[in-house]
Amino acid sequence: MKKIIAADNAPGAIGPYSQAVAAAPLVITSGQLPIDPATGSFAGSTIEAQTRQSLTNIKAILEKAGCTMDGILKTTVFLSDMNNFGAMNKVYAEFFSEGSYPARSAVEVARLPKDALVEIEAIAAQS
């Protein structure tokens, strides 16, 4: 059965979608922009700050669903500029345990909502 996940400590959906949907044993997040839920604005203007906030938002949503970052099976990273890949990758690695990295795709896109530098989505297994 499908269950909608809504975390108060992550930005609310800005359209007709849910932050995440759980269908045991999986939780699938929508793409997370680098929006700080406390301010409603981007967490910063650098790829590092934006990557950190996008992943922090994913972590909050997954925690609401009873998951951890180590439960992530797959992520998709959307970058506005592939030249930001190295800096994004460095921050990204901080969120996962060594040897427990999820599968991942990273692609450059023409444009992201609100002109973000990064957007990240995840598929996780419930504990």
Side-chain angles (χ1 to χ4, degrees):
M1 173 178 256
K2 179 171 102 171
K3 178 182 177 187
I4 303 302
I5 307 298
D8 293 334
N9 54 345
I14 57 173
Y17 62 90
S18 301
Q19 287 176 331
V21 175
L26 298 179
V27 176
I28 303 167
T29 74
S30 292
Q32 293 302 303
L33 292 172
I35 296 172
D36 180 338
T39 65
S41 300
F42 284 161
S45 60
T46 66
I47 189 64
E48 294 89 351
Q50 291 194 14
T51 300
R52 187 167 284 107
Q53 187 63 53
S54 290
L55 289 166
T56 297
N57 293 342
I58 287 173
K59 183 177 180 182
I61 293 165
L62 292 179
E63 286 174 353
K64 178 74 175 185
C67 297
T68 66
M69 293 298 280
D70 282 339
I72 294 178
L73 304 172
K74 166 87 166 64
T75 62
T76 305
V77 179
F78 303 96
L79 295 165
S80 65
D81 183 346
M82 194 54 82
N83 290 317
N84 287 330
F85 180 84
M88 174 281 298
N89 203 45
K90 185 174 180 180
V91 173
Y92 180 96
E94 296 170 9
F95 281 79
F96 299 98
S97 300
E98 182 78 28
S100 185
Y101 299 123
R104 180 180 74 189
S105 300
V107 297
E108 180 179 291
V109 296
R111 191 172 178 198
L112 289 166
K114 299 183 175 253
D115 292 318
L117 300 177
V118 65
E119 181 175 3
I120 304 172
E121 62 186 25
I123 298 171
Q126 291 177 312
S127 304

